[in-house]
Amino acid sequence: MSSSPHLAQARRQAYLLPGLLAFMLVCLVLAVFLGVVDLDPSDTLAALTGQGSAEAHAIILDIRLPRILTGMLAGVHFALAGLLLQSITRNPLADPSLMGVSQGAMLAVSGFLVISVYSHDTGSTTLQELPVHWLPLIGTLGGLAAGAFIYLIAFRRDLGPLRITLCGIAVGAVLHAIGIGLMAGWGSGRLEVLLEWFSGSLYARGWQHALFLLPFTIAGLAVLPVVRRPLDLLRFDATVARSFGLSYRTQFSVVLLIACTLAASAVGVVGPVVFVGLIVPHMARFLAGQHTRIVLPLTIMLGAITMTLADLAGRLAGGAEEIPIGVVTAICGVPLLVALLRRTP
């Protein structure tokens, strides 16, 4: 009789992954078929097979599908980065902003746009006229630079979770303040360009953005089996982890690098989307407990699902003036986080 609860839990976990995978596919289909422009389902299916009208082809293959895939990849990045950071810092409130990644990317993008405008005196006020094709790379490099800077500060003395957290909060606040200062000094006529990116948005994201994220996604997923056992041990104190034979500093640094790279690339493409990296790991643990081998794939799928549904809600609720995905995740994230915390022992 004592084994029945464990047996029931094992059965529930066996259905989790295929059930969530099926739900993710349903979300993908809904996001493709639903949007501001009403298309007949037959036209949508025809466009997906390379046929149908030119309008349906343009809407589905050139706008919706790359936007959806970009959002799903970014959701995987944010969710995994949050899970990794929460595990190694032993901080349930950790997310990409903890390491200053989001703030570093914001500052890099702000500085790049300011310099590009004033150095060439283009007078540009729209995204199409500015060199936005460089933003994913600039944002990624800025986020990685911020994470590396915080790591080096903590590394000089003690690479402990508390020191990393405090350094991240302090440096992130400074970077955020400088970025806001650049916005204020840039001129009101151009603020819309930065605000659109700062709010976290999938607007005008195309195939080039999905292809930019894809190598990071593949590399991140490829190393997950290697770091799964170290990730379990890094949740303990350094002394305990070393007693199991773990090279604590090395593994901590490797996992931190993976988390910062995933977060920086996602922020570089879609902007700092809040709450995804914070909430999704808690959702995965709520469903699967502390079993990392199940939590990892659940986090991946839940990250993709969260971004897909949030973007779909923003498109349908906002109409032609869509609501940025970062606004949707912020509005929905707070009550969801409170509910999860109330149900977590």
Side-chain angles (χ1 to χ4, degrees):
M1 294 298 292
S2 60
S3 62
S4 58
H6 299 285
L7 181 61
Q9 183 182 23
R11 288 177 177 174
R12 182 169 65 89
Q13 291 177 350
Y15 290 108
L16 271 177
L17 295 180
L20 204 58
L21 178 61
F23 183 62
M24 184 176 69
L25 295 177
V26 170
C27 294
L28 175 61
V29 171
L30 289 175
V32 171
F33 278 80
L34 299 178
V36 177
V37 179
D38 291 327
L39 291 176
D40 189 88
S42 59
D43 290 338
T44 302
L45 287 174
L48 290 173
T49 58
Q51 303 173 4
S53 64
E55 179 189 17
H57 186 279
I59 292 174
I60 299 300
L61 296 182
D62 297 335
I63 299 177
R64 285 188 192 172
L65 196 56
R67 174 189 180 127
I68 294 166
L69 294 178
T70 300
M72 295 181 77
L73 292 177
V76 171
H77 287 210
F78 282 124
L80 276 178
L83 175 66
L84 297 178
L85 289 174
Q86 289 174 15
S87 298
I88 64 175
T89 63
R90 302 194 290 276
N91 182 356
L93 298 179
D95 71 347
S97 63
L98 176 74
M99 285 300 297
V101 171
S102 298
Q103 297 90 332
M106 291 170 63
L107 177 58
V109 168
S110 302
F112 172 72
L113 290 179
V114 170
I115 293 172
S116 64
V117 167
Y118 283 107
S119 62
H120 299 290
D121 194 25
T122 62
S124 300
T125 58
T126 66
L127 281 172
Q128 288 74 20
E129 294 170 337
L130 290 170
V132 293
H133 56 280
W134 286 100
L135 294 191
L137 178 60
I138 297 298
T140 300
L141 294 176
L144 286 175
F149 179 68
I150 294 169
Y151 172 85
L152 290 176
I153 293 176
F155 184 82
R156 290 182 60 184
R157 302 179 74 96
D158 174 32
L159 194 64
L162 179 59
R163 188 175 297 276
I164 284 280
T165 301
L166 294 177
C167 289
I169 293 173
V171 174
V174 173
L175 296 177
H176 181 76
I178 297 174
I180 295 298
L182 286 176
M183 286 181 60
W186 198 24
S188 59
R190 301 185 180 101
L191 277 181
E192 184 179 351
V193 178
L194 283 174
L195 289 176
E196 185 272 335
W197 189 86
F198 281 3
S199 62
S201 175
L202 286 171
Y203 176 76
R205 299 309 190 266
W207 287 111
Q208 69 274 21
H209 298 98
L211 292 176
F212 178 87
L213 285 176
L214 189 58
F216 293 100
T217 309
I218 294 174
L221 296 180
V223 299
L224 284 183
V226 179
V227 301
R228 185 177 69 83
R229 181 178 179 275
L231 196 62
D232 282 328
L233 296 177
L234 286 170
R235 293 184 300 177
F236 299 103
D237 184 79
T239 304
V240 177
R242 291 191 183 99
S243 68
F244 285 95
L246 181 73
S247 178
Y248 184 84
R249 178 164 299 211
T250 300
Q251 295 297 339
F252 189 102
S253 302
V254 169
V255 175
L256 185 62
L257 175 62
I258 296 170
C260 289
T261 303
L262 289 172
S265 56
V267 174
V269 171
V270 303
V273 179
V274 297
F275 277 103
V276 177
L278 174 62
I279 292 178
V280 170
H282 287 286
M283 295 170 60
R285 294 191 195 95
F286 175 76
L287 293 173
Q290 297 295 331
H291 303 284
T292 305
R293 63 182 180 83
I294 301 178
V295 170
L296 280 173
L298 283 182
T299 300
I300 293 169
M301 288 186 284
L302 285 171
I305 291 170
T306 301
M307 288 287 283
T308 302
L309 292 180
D311 180 51
L312 179 60
R315 286 192 283 132
L316 296 179
E321 300 294 332
E322 65 181 56
I323 301 174
I325 189 171
V327 176
V328 177
T329 57
I331 293 174
C332 300
V334 173
L336 183 58
L337 179 62
V338 172
L340 285 171
L341 293 178
R342 286 174 60 89
R343 300 192 63 175
T344 301

